Amino acid sequence: LFEEEATEWKVMHADVFRPPTMYPMLSCVFCGLGVQIAIATGCATGLSIVGCLSPACCRSLLNAFLLIYAFGGSFARINLRNVVQIVPRTEVAALHNIHGRVLPRDVFQIILIFN
């Protein structure tokens, strides 16, 4: 019984922690973007709870979120650098170009459309 559980764990471990085979560069970029959005959302929510930002004034909350999102890029780059070491066949310069230029442009365009 113990031998069967050990082999099942090894199969599951190999399947869960394997690097992605399709689009490894985009998965790295989206991991970094997820960290950046999570930090911006957490900080903006925390500042609103403490009372530094008022949810009633939407413009100040949006400005603070965008500012924290911009500064969260450094933490996203740290995460991106760690994920690049795990995922093979990625070009680091192209990866930083996509994360640093393309995705913020798209986020800015979405926010501009919604405003």
Short mmCIF file of all heavy atoms in Angstrom, two decimals, residues 15-46:
data_model
loop_
_atom_site.label_atom_id
_atom_site.label_comp_id
_atom_site.label_asym_id
_atom_site.label_seq_id
_atom_site.Cartn_x
_atom_site.Cartn_y
_atom_site.Cartn_z
N ASP A 15 3.99 15.87 -12.66
CA ASP A 15 3.02 16.52 -13.54
C ASP A 15 2.73 17.95 -13.10
O ASP A 15 2.55 18.84 -13.93
CB ASP A 15 1.72 15.71 -13.56
CG ASP A 15 0.80 16.17 -14.67
OD1 ASP A 15 1.32 16.53 -15.75
OD2 ASP A 15 -0.43 16.17 -14.46
N VAL A 16 2.69 18.20 -11.80
CA VAL A 16 2.36 19.53 -11.30
C VAL A 16 3.51 20.50 -11.47
O VAL A 16 3.32 21.66 -11.86
CB VAL A 16 1.92 19.45 -9.81
CG1 VAL A 16 1.83 20.83 -9.21
CG2 VAL A 16 0.62 18.72 -9.69
N PHE A 17 4.71 20.06 -11.21
CA PHE A 17 5.86 20.97 -11.21
C PHE A 17 6.67 20.93 -12.50
O PHE A 17 7.82 21.33 -12.51
CB PHE A 17 6.76 20.67 -10.01
CG PHE A 17 6.10 20.96 -8.71
CD1 PHE A 17 5.73 19.94 -7.86
CD2 PHE A 17 5.82 22.26 -8.34
CE1 PHE A 17 5.10 20.21 -6.66
CE2 PHE A 17 5.19 22.54 -7.15
CZ PHE A 17 4.84 21.50 -6.31
N ARG A 18 6.09 20.49 -13.59
CA ARG A 18 6.81 20.49 -14.85
C ARG A 18 6.69 21.87 -15.49
O ARG A 18 5.69 22.56 -15.33
CB ARG A 18 6.30 19.41 -15.78
CG ARG A 18 4.89 19.61 -16.24
CD ARG A 18 4.45 18.49 -17.16
NE ARG A 18 3.02 18.47 -17.28
CZ ARG A 18 2.31 19.27 -18.05
NH1 ARG A 18 2.93 20.16 -18.78
NH2 ARG A 18 1.00 19.19 -18.10
N PRO A 19 7.71 22.28 -16.23
CA PRO A 19 7.62 23.58 -16.92
C PRO A 19 6.59 23.51 -18.04
O PRO A 19 6.36 22.44 -18.61
CB PRO A 19 9.03 23.80 -17.45
CG PRO A 19 9.69 22.50 -17.41
CD PRO A 19 9.01 21.66 -16.39
N PRO A 20 5.98 24.63 -18.39
CA PRO A 20 4.97 24.61 -19.45
C PRO A 20 5.61 24.32 -20.80
O PRO A 20 6.70 24.79 -21.10
CB PRO A 20 4.37 26.01 -19.40
CG PRO A 20 5.39 26.84 -18.74
CD PRO A 20 6.13 25.94 -17.80
N THR A 21 4.89 23.55 -21.61
CA THR A 21 5.41 23.22 -22.94
C THR A 21 4.93 24.21 -24.00
O THR A 21 5.65 24.49 -24.95
CB THR A 21 4.97 21.80 -23.34
OG1 THR A 21 3.55 21.71 -23.26
CG2 THR A 21 5.59 20.77 -22.42
N MET A 22 3.73 24.74 -23.83
CA MET A 22 3.20 25.70 -24.79
C MET A 22 3.35 27.12 -24.24
O MET A 22 2.94 27.40 -23.12
CB MET A 22 1.73 25.41 -25.07
CG MET A 22 1.49 24.09 -25.75
SD MET A 22 -0.24 23.79 -26.06
CE MET A 22 -0.65 25.14 -27.12
N TYR A 23 3.92 27.99 -25.02
CA TYR A 23 4.09 29.41 -24.70
C TYR A 23 4.74 29.63 -23.33
O TYR A 23 4.15 30.25 -22.44
CB TYR A 23 2.74 30.13 -24.75
CG TYR A 23 1.99 29.91 -26.02
CD1 TYR A 23 0.79 29.21 -26.03
CD2 TYR A 23 2.48 30.40 -27.23
CE1 TYR A 23 0.10 29.00 -27.21
CE2 TYR A 23 1.80 30.19 -28.41
CZ TYR A 23 0.61 29.49 -28.40
OH TYR A 23 -0.08 29.29 -29.55
N PRO A 24 5.97 29.18 -23.14
CA PRO A 24 6.62 29.38 -21.83
C PRO A 24 6.90 30.86 -21.54
O PRO A 24 6.85 31.28 -20.39
CB PRO A 24 7.91 28.57 -21.93
CG PRO A 24 8.18 28.46 -23.39
CD PRO A 24 6.85 28.46 -24.06
N MET A 25 7.14 31.66 -22.59
CA MET A 25 7.42 33.08 -22.36
C MET A 25 6.18 33.82 -21.85
O MET A 25 6.27 34.62 -20.92
CB MET A 25 7.93 33.73 -23.64
CG MET A 25 8.45 35.14 -23.42
SD MET A 25 9.16 35.87 -24.88
CE MET A 25 10.59 34.86 -25.11
N LEU A 26 5.03 33.53 -22.42
CA LEU A 26 3.81 34.19 -21.96
C LEU A 26 3.44 33.76 -20.54
O LEU A 26 2.92 34.58 -19.76
CB LEU A 26 2.65 33.90 -22.91
CG LEU A 26 2.61 34.76 -24.16
CD1 LEU A 26 1.43 34.38 -25.02
CD2 LEU A 26 2.55 36.22 -23.81
N SER A 27 3.70 32.51 -20.20
CA SER A 27 3.40 32.09 -18.83
C SER A 27 4.30 32.81 -17.83
O SER A 27 3.85 33.17 -16.74
CB SER A 27 3.53 30.57 -18.69
OG SER A 27 4.85 30.17 -18.94
N CYS A 28 5.56 33.06 -18.19
CA CYS A 28 6.45 33.84 -17.32
C CYS A 28 5.93 35.27 -17.16
O CYS A 28 5.91 35.82 -16.06
CB CYS A 28 7.85 33.88 -17.90
SG CYS A 28 8.75 32.36 -17.83
N VAL A 29 5.53 35.87 -18.27
CA VAL A 29 5.05 37.25 -18.23
C VAL A 29 3.78 37.36 -17.39
O VAL A 29 3.62 38.28 -16.58
CB VAL A 29 4.82 37.78 -19.66
CG1 VAL A 29 4.08 39.09 -19.64
CG2 VAL A 29 6.14 37.94 -20.36
N PHE A 30 2.86 36.40 -17.55
CA PHE A 30 1.61 36.47 -16.79
C PHE A 30 1.83 36.17 -15.31
O PHE A 30 1.09 36.67 -14.47
CB PHE A 30 0.57 35.54 -17.39
CG PHE A 30 -0.02 36.07 -18.66
CD1 PHE A 30 -0.21 35.24 -19.75
CD2 PHE A 30 -0.35 37.40 -18.79
CE1 PHE A 30 -0.75 35.73 -20.92
CE2 PHE A 30 -0.88 37.90 -19.95
CZ PHE A 30 -1.08 37.06 -21.03
N CYS A 31 2.85 35.40 -14.96
CA CYS A 31 3.19 35.21 -13.54
C CYS A 31 3.66 36.54 -12.94
O CYS A 31 3.26 36.92 -11.84
CB CYS A 31 4.26 34.15 -13.37
SG CYS A 31 3.68 32.47 -13.56
N GLY A 32 4.51 37.25 -13.68
CA GLY A 32 4.97 38.55 -13.20
C GLY A 32 3.85 39.57 -13.13
O GLY A 32 3.75 40.35 -12.18
N LEU A 33 2.96 39.54 -14.11
CA LEU A 33 1.82 40.47 -14.12
C LEU A 33 0.87 40.17 -12.96
O LEU A 33 0.33 41.09 -12.35
CB LEU A 33 1.08 40.36 -15.45
CG LEU A 33 -0.11 41.29 -15.63
CD1 LEU A 33 0.36 42.73 -15.68
CD2 LEU A 33 -0.87 40.93 -16.87
N GLY A 34 0.68 38.89 -12.66
CA GLY A 34 -0.17 38.52 -11.52
C GLY A 34 0.38 39.04 -10.21
O GLY A 34 -0.37 39.52 -9.36
N VAL A 35 1.70 38.95 -10.04
CA VAL A 35 2.32 39.49 -8.83
C VAL A 35 2.13 41.00 -8.77
O VAL A 35 1.80 41.56 -7.71
CB VAL A 35 3.82 39.11 -8.79
CG1 VAL A 35 4.56 39.90 -7.74
CG2 VAL A 35 3.98 37.63 -8.55
N GLN A 36 2.30 41.66 -9.89
CA GLN A 36 2.17 43.12 -9.93
C GLN A 36 0.74 43.56 -9.60
O GLN A 36 0.54 44.49 -8.81
CB GLN A 36 2.59 43.62 -11.31
CG GLN A 36 2.75 45.10 -11.42
CD GLN A 36 3.35 45.50 -12.75
OE1 GLN A 36 3.64 44.66 -13.59
NE2 GLN A 36 3.53 46.79 -12.95
N ILE A 37 -0.24 42.90 -10.16
CA ILE A 37 -1.63 43.25 -9.88
C ILE A 37 -2.01 42.91 -8.45
O ILE A 37 -2.72 43.66 -7.79
CB ILE A 37 -2.57 42.57 -10.90
CG1 ILE A 37 -2.38 43.22 -12.27
CG2 ILE A 37 -4.02 42.66 -10.48
CD1 ILE A 37 -3.13 42.54 -13.38
N ALA A 38 -1.51 41.79 -7.94
CA ALA A 38 -1.81 41.40 -6.56
C ALA A 38 -1.22 42.40 -5.57
O ALA A 38 -1.87 42.78 -4.58
CB ALA A 38 -1.28 40.00 -6.28
N ILE A 39 -0.01 42.86 -5.81
CA ILE A 39 0.60 43.86 -4.92
C ILE A 39 -0.16 45.17 -4.99
O ILE A 39 -0.43 45.80 -3.96
CB ILE A 39 2.09 44.05 -5.28
CG1 ILE A 39 2.88 42.83 -4.82
CG2 ILE A 39 2.65 45.32 -4.67
CD1 ILE A 39 4.33 42.84 -5.23
N ALA A 40 -0.52 45.61 -6.20
CA ALA A 40 -1.26 46.87 -6.33
C ALA A 40 -2.62 46.79 -5.67
O ALA A 40 -3.04 47.71 -4.95
CB ALA A 40 -1.40 47.24 -7.81
N THR A 41 -3.31 45.68 -5.86
CA THR A 41 -4.63 45.53 -5.24
C THR A 41 -4.53 45.44 -3.73
O THR A 41 -5.31 46.08 -3.01
CB THR A 41 -5.32 44.26 -5.79
OG1 THR A 41 -5.37 44.35 -7.21
CG2 THR A 41 -6.71 44.11 -5.24
N GLY A 42 -3.57 44.68 -3.24
CA GLY A 42 -3.41 44.55 -1.79
C GLY A 42 -3.02 45.86 -1.12
O GLY A 42 -3.56 46.21 -0.07
N CYS A 43 -2.10 46.59 -1.73
CA CYS A 43 -1.69 47.87 -1.14
C CYS A 43 -2.82 48.90 -1.19
O CYS A 43 -3.04 49.64 -0.23
CB CYS A 43 -0.46 48.41 -1.86
SG CYS A 43 1.04 47.51 -1.49
N ALA A 44 -3.53 48.98 -2.31
CA ALA A 44 -4.64 49.93 -2.42
C ALA A 44 -5.75 49.58 -1.43
O ALA A 44 -6.33 50.46 -0.79
CB ALA A 44 -5.18 49.97 -3.84
N THR A 45 -6.04 48.29 -1.28
CA THR A 45 -7.06 47.87 -0.31
C THR A 45 -6.61 48.16 1.11
O THR A 45 -7.39 48.64 1.93
CB THR A 45 -7.37 46.37 -0.48
OG1 THR A 45 -7.75 46.14 -1.83
CG2 THR A 45 -8.47 45.93 0.45
N GLY A 46 -5.35 47.87 1.39
CA GLY A 46 -4.82 48.15 2.73
C GLY A 46 -4.83 49.63 3.07
O GLY A 46 -5.18 50.01 4.19
#
